[in-house]
Amino acid sequence: MPFTKAIYLAFATTIVLLFAGWLARAQLAELAVTTSLPNYGFENVSADVDHLSIRQINLKHFAFTLPTDTGNFRLVAEDASIDFRLQQLRQAQVDSLMIDKLTLYYQADTDVSASNTVVTEALVPVKILATFKQALRDYIVFNSLSINLLSLHGEPFGALERKPLKLQARNENSIITSKLSLLKQHLTGKREVIRQLVVSRLSEDTLQANLRFNKTDETATAGFELGLHDTSIDGKYYLYPHRLTEWLEPFTMHKKIDVTSKVSGSLSVDLSTDERITSTVIAATDRVIFDAYRADQIEIQLKTSTPTSQPFRRIELAKSSYISVGQFSQDEQSLASSLIHLAGDLSTSTDSWQFDGSMSTDSVDVRYQSQSLQLKDVDADILASHELLDIDGRFSTTQVPGRFSFAVDHDQTKAAGTLAASSVDPIDLNAQDDRLSDLWTPWPYPFDLLSGIIRIVANAAWSGSNEFTLDAKIHADNTSGNYNDITFSDLSLVQQLEILPALSSTEPGEIFLAQLDSGVIASNISTSISLQSTATGSLPSIIVQDLYGEILGGSFSADNIVFDLNADSNRFDIKAEDIDLGEIVAAQQLEGVEVTGRVDGRIPIMIDQQGIVIEQGKFISKVHAGTIRYNPAGGTEQLRQNPLTGIALDALRDFRYSHLSADVDFKQDGTLTVNLKLKGTSPELDTKRPVHLNINTEQNLLSLLKSLRYAESVSTGIDQKVRSKYDRSKSNTQDKP
């Protein structure tokens, strides 16, 4: 016999027998109850009738045990009062049922395992819904019900076990309203309502309910309205998570969630099959704050399928489930404009959960402070729980070609974790408009890469008590680009960097550069560079060691250059060797000038916020023999107005020097001053008579170099594709407001 029907028949029989006892004696009524109920499968029946009248029955005590397939159910009622009319009794109905104390016990039978057949039959969804509706029609025997103290004992009652409860209900035309209250027992004996489940309407086709803190609480913590159909349930709900976690504190422990506005949504449940329950749950809210995390403009859709045997313990998420977040942030890191699709298995228990599945999103904007990294085609395998988050996935960069793998290991309890990422397909900048600065915007550095292949391995770490850290190993092959207005090509480097919280090198990086165009071509440049954090500011110092390059037929070198990016100024020396004077003249495109010979020199450089300064640079001829011939096509007649100038011009028509030196100064406005000292002879004057010449020149070197950079005869040294991309990039930057 079904459990619910057995209770109903027992209750009806008890009322009839008690009324029959009123015509005789109370002891006879008690005997009738205790002897007749065992016929319906009840055991250990006891009853103590205190009062009988034609409209009321009072029971000091009433108890019974009902065996079930999986255990024993026992009911004990103390001080019960039943009000009725004779016409109601004929229909097994009563006007009111009041019980001062009702205790329900359930003891599982350890000798009989709950077979799958029994459990499945008990949880066939359509049967449950049909039984529920039948119970509302047939088994609600009261117009009003009041239980002053309800106590539940046994594992199936879960969080309600041994909690002091109070139940009040009314039944009007088969529409039930009720209040189930959680009580707080004071030392004075007074009972205070501290939590309430209020059912405002319960009928065969509707269930409306909300959660409140007490009788005077005007704002509900949560509420729902469900439509109950033959094979489905649908409806809508709302809740305030921060209030809900507080409401649940007497039943379970959860960290408080702060939500500035309510969560609202809808749900639908399909119960048309015996094996599975499928449902769709939609939730939306403006903002959620949980520990160090914050999420704005959230919408969640979960499409689930659960076995009927354990509908709340194991949930399968369909691929059409998703989480949409306007922005998700922790401290200075955030994800913006994310639509994340989810699929997998979610298992839950009273105080824990675990998700084993996958996620994917077409695009996501990763931000740190004001900078943005745009990703696409993100997919990952996820293992998550209330304690941890492990993700293994892949993504592509949106603005430049590149594919990466990544792994996240996050401790939910400590808000700490790590990220490891590496190139699967390297960043390829060889397409027409690709450039490295599109990867991370706004690009904060004065350099850019416009072509080549880049491979990156990155690692990040974060925690609530420590700064976010990010380091990367960068391997660049055959890259070309620019540093401000200086272009370069065929750069190869390996650099191990700590990017956050401060930019620095974890080990020196080797650099080789085939060509550098500053207006004069330098080539075959090699050096070792490292970045070091300093106490002078947030930017690093650049340490340059073993610098070597070729320029103007000779070479330049330097060692142990320390360039502090925080300092107002930095000083270092460049050593020049075996510079071909003929190439200097050719680079400046001086008409009618021919020079032979080579010089060595030292260039002391000072760099500050206004620019570059050279003070007392010194060059001297390496071999004490060379020639200078100055024969411009237009002649020199206009320059001969001064007799001394005329003598110098005559000497320079064919000057054979034994000594050449030059003092060089360069100002921040671009002015280059050269004091040239020459000693030698000139056949135009007298081959035996020594000639000493001091020649002072001044010109704007920056203007000269700018013109040289864009002169076709010089630019052929740099890849035209790189030059074209740099020109377009510079033009686009200037066009931006």
Side-chain angles (χ1 to χ4, degrees):
M1 179 181 298
F3 173 74
T4 309
K5 190 172 184 180
I7 293 290
Y8 165 70
L9 291 175
F11 182 71
T13 302
T14 300
I15 294 174
V16 173
L17 291 175
L18 289 173
F19 178 69
W22 174 77
L23 300 175
R25 308 177 65 165
Q27 290 84 355
L28 179 61
E30 295 172 5
L31 178 63
V33 170
T34 56
T35 56
S36 63
L37 289 184
N39 295 329
Y40 297 101
F42 292 88
E43 300 176 354
N44 303 321
V45 179
S46 60
D48 184 356
V49 179
D50 182 55
H51 172 74
L52 291 173
S53 70
I54 196 171
R55 297 184 60 87
Q56 187 180 66
I57 302 172
N58 293 334
L59 296 171
K60 293 188 64 176
H61 171 84
F62 177 60
F64 62 81
T65 300
L66 177 64
T68 67
D69 293 326
T70 57
N72 293 324
F73 176 84
R74 181 161 179 77
L75 179 148
V76 178
E78 306 288 345
D79 295 327
S81 176
I82 306 171
D83 293 339
F84 54 86
R85 296 188 300 273
L86 292 178
Q87 184 179 0
Q88 289 177 309
L89 288 181
R90 296 191 189 100
Q91 301 172 353
Q93 296 284 318
V94 298
D95 187 52
S96 67
L97 171 60
M98 294 182 292
I99 303 174
D100 184 58
K101 182 178 180 181
L102 177 65
T103 307
L104 303 178
Y105 300 88
Y106 181 82
Q107 179 65 49
D109 191 344
T110 57
D111 296 331
V112 180
S113 61
S115 67
N116 292 335
T117 303
V118 172
V119 174
T120 301
E121 288 181 354
L123 294 178
V124 172
V126 175
K127 291 183 179 179
I128 294 176
L129 198 55
T131 301
F132 170 76
K133 292 186 175 186
Q134 182 181 355
L136 291 178
R137 290 192 301 266
D138 300 338
Y139 301 150
I140 302 300
V141 299
F142 58 84
N143 291 332
S144 67
L145 170 67
S146 176
I147 302 175
N148 289 329
L149 182 60
L150 171 64
S151 183
L152 308 175
H153 298 258
E155 185 178 355
F157 298 114
L160 296 177
E161 184 179 10
R162 298 181 182 274
K163 296 290 191 301
L165 305 171
K166 180 178 181 179
L167 178 62
Q168 294 173 300
R170 291 195 62 83
N171 176 20
E172 296 182 6
N173 300 320
S174 298
I175 296 176
I176 298 172
T177 59
S178 69
K179 293 181 180 180
L180 178 63
S181 304
L182 175 66
L183 305 175
K184 180 179 180 181
Q185 185 80 43
H186 292 278
L187 295 177
T188 59
K190 180 182 178 181
R191 295 171 184 156
E192 177 188 359
V193 174
I194 58 174
R195 302 289 188 273
Q196 277 193 325
L197 167 63
V198 179
V199 177
S200 56
R201 181 184 178 92
L202 174 59
S203 64
E204 291 187 40
D205 57 6
T206 304
L207 171 58
Q208 297 176 2
N210 59 68
L211 304 179
R212 298 179 182 272
F213 279 90
N214 50 51
K215 299 177 182 179
T216 60
D217 188 11
E218 296 182 357
T219 303
T221 297
F224 58 86
E225 180 178 345
L226 301 179
L228 309 177
H229 313 291
D230 290 340
T231 60
S232 65
I233 300 173
D234 58 52
K236 56 186 179 180
Y237 68 92
Y238 68 90
L239 58 91
Y240 294 88
H242 66 297
R243 287 173 57 87
L244 181 60
T245 53
E246 185 178 353
W247 194 94
L248 292 171
E249 282 180 359
F251 309 104
T252 183
M253 294 299 295
H254 289 282
K255 290 186 177 181
K256 187 174 182 179
I257 300 175
D258 187 14
V259 182
T260 57
S261 60
K262 70 179 180 181
V263 177
S264 59
S266 62
L267 62 89
S268 61
V269 183
D270 184 356
L271 308 174
S272 59
T273 66
D274 292 343
E275 294 79 17
R276 304 194 70 79
I277 304 171
T278 59
S279 61
T280 300
V281 179
I282 298 176
T285 187
D286 291 336
R287 179 172 299 169
V288 174
I289 299 174
F290 181 66
D291 285 347
Y293 308 101
R294 169 174 166 168
D296 298 303
Q297 300 301 319
I298 308 165
E299 181 178 332
I300 301 174
Q301 175 176 285
L302 301 179
K303 291 198 172 184
T304 66
S305 175
T306 64
T308 55
S309 57
Q310 292 182 321
F312 303 108
R313 296 296 186 183
R314 185 171 178 271
I315 303 172
E316 296 180 11
L317 288 181
K319 290 183 178 180
S320 52
S321 300
Y322 66 82
I323 299 176
S324 176
V325 182
Q327 180 165 297
F328 177 80
S329 60
Q330 180 198 7
D331 298 330
E332 296 180 309
Q333 308 95 49
S334 66
L335 301 177
S337 303
S338 303
L339 176 62
I340 301 172
H341 299 277
L342 298 172
D345 292 336
L346 175 66
S347 58
T348 63
S349 61
T350 303
D351 56 0
S352 66
W353 60 273
Q354 179 173 299
F355 176 75
D356 187 358
S358 62
M359 60 81 69
S360 63
T361 183
D362 293 334
S363 64
V364 62
D365 188 358
V366 182
R367 297 179 181 178
Y368 178 75
Q369 296 179 343
S370 62
Q371 292 176 293
S372 170
L373 172 64
Q374 294 184 14
L375 307 178
K376 66 178 182 178
D377 300 333
V378 182
D379 62 87
D381 299 320
I382 302 175
L383 178 62
S385 71
H386 62 292
E387 295 179 338
L388 60 86
L389 174 63
D390 289 336
I391 305 176
D392 290 307
R394 296 141 298 278
F395 64 86
S396 297
T397 46
T398 302
Q399 301 298 330
V400 296
R403 185 73 173 164
F404 298 83
S405 64
F406 68 95
V408 175
D409 184 1
H410 182 74
D411 189 325
Q412 308 270 42
T413 60
K414 299 178 180 178
T418 60
L419 164 69
S422 61
S423 301
V424 176
D425 297 324
I427 296 176
D428 188 346
L429 301 175
N430 291 319
Q432 183 176 7
D433 293 318
D434 289 333
R435 56 182 181 174
L436 186 63
S437 57
D438 289 332
L439 181 67
W440 184 252
T441 57
W443 186 251
Y445 310 113
F447 67 88
D448 202 354
L449 298 180
L450 307 176
S451 68
I453 301 295
I454 303 172
R455 295 173 175 83
I456 300 176
V457 176
N459 294 278
W462 56 88
S463 70
S465 58
N466 298 316
E467 291 184 290
F468 183 89
T469 63
L470 173 63
D471 62 75
K473 183 177 182 180
I474 303 173
H475 190 167
D477 290 324
N478 300 319
T479 56
S480 302
N482 66 280
Y483 183 93
N484 290 329
D485 288 336
I486 299 173
T487 57
F488 55 84
S489 64
D490 293 330
L491 168 67
S492 297
L493 65 85
V494 177
Q495 192 71 241
Q496 185 83 37
L497 297 174
E498 180 183 89
I499 300 174
L500 297 172
L503 183 62
S504 64
S505 299
T506 56
E507 60 183 48
E510 301 299 324
I511 296 178
F512 176 78
L513 181 59
Q515 288 187 328
L516 177 71
D517 181 5
S518 62
V520 176
I521 297 295
S523 59
N524 298 325
I525 302 169
S526 62
T527 187
S528 174
I529 290 183
S530 60
L531 307 179
Q532 292 183 2
S533 58
T534 68
T536 58
S538 60
L539 297 175
S541 288
I542 303 174
I543 313 299
V544 180
Q545 295 179 314
D546 300 326
L547 172 63
Y548 175 84
E550 298 173 358
I551 191 170
L552 298 172
S555 66
F556 62 90
S557 62
D559 198 14
N560 296 323
I561 296 176
V562 178
F563 193 94
D564 187 349
L565 296 176
N566 304 289
D568 294 333
S569 63
N570 289 275
R571 296 177 181 272
F572 55 91
D573 290 351
I574 298 293
K575 181 180 179 182
E577 293 183 290
D578 205 28
I579 302 299
D580 189 336
L581 295 174
E583 292 203 17
I584 294 178
V585 171
Q588 296 187 64
Q589 300 179 351
L590 298 176
E591 181 185 356
V593 179
E594 296 180 10
V595 181
T596 65
R598 293 179 177 272
V599 295
D600 296 337
R602 182 185 66 86
I603 308 172
I605 297 175
M606 190 276 288
I607 301 178
D608 61 14
Q609 294 180 352
Q610 282 71 45
I612 299 176
V613 174
I614 298 175
E615 294 179 346
Q616 299 180 354
K618 188 75 171 178
F619 288 88
I620 191 168
S621 56
K622 182 177 182 180
V623 178
H624 300 297
T627 60
I628 300 176
R629 294 185 175 89
Y630 181 50
N631 294 296
T636 62
E637 294 303 323
Q638 293 182 353
L639 301 175
R640 291 178 177 274
Q641 296 178 3
N642 187 317
L644 294 177
T645 302
I647 294 173
L649 291 173
D650 289 338
L652 289 176
R653 290 177 61 185
D654 186 6
F655 189 80
R656 302 173 185 182
Y657 66 85
S658 58
H659 171 83
L660 182 151
S661 65
D663 295 327
V664 179
D665 291 283
F666 178 76
K667 296 181 180 179
Q668 291 155 339
D669 62 2
T671 301
L672 175 66
T673 302
V674 179
N675 182 7
L676 184 64
K677 296 179 180 180
L678 299 170
K679 294 180 182 181
T681 61
S682 174
E684 299 292 327
L685 299 178
D686 186 341
T687 56
K688 294 183 179 180
R689 183 179 178 181
V691 178
H692 292 193
L693 294 177
N694 289 333
I695 302 174
N696 295 320
T697 66
E698 185 176 287
Q699 61 181 319
N700 192 296
L701 182 61
L702 296 181
S703 298
L704 174 64
L705 291 177
K706 183 176 181 180
S707 64
L708 292 177
R709 280 198 296 269
Y710 291 96
E712 182 178 357
S713 59
V714 175
S715 294
T716 52
I718 292 290
D719 188 340
Q720 287 299 306
K721 181 180 178 182
V722 175
R723 169 66 67 187
S724 177
K725 289 182 70 172
Y726 168 68
D727 292 342
R728 289 198 306 273
S729 173
K730 185 175 180 181
S731 176
N732 292 337
T733 302
Q734 291 174 345
D735 290 342
K736 292 180 180 180

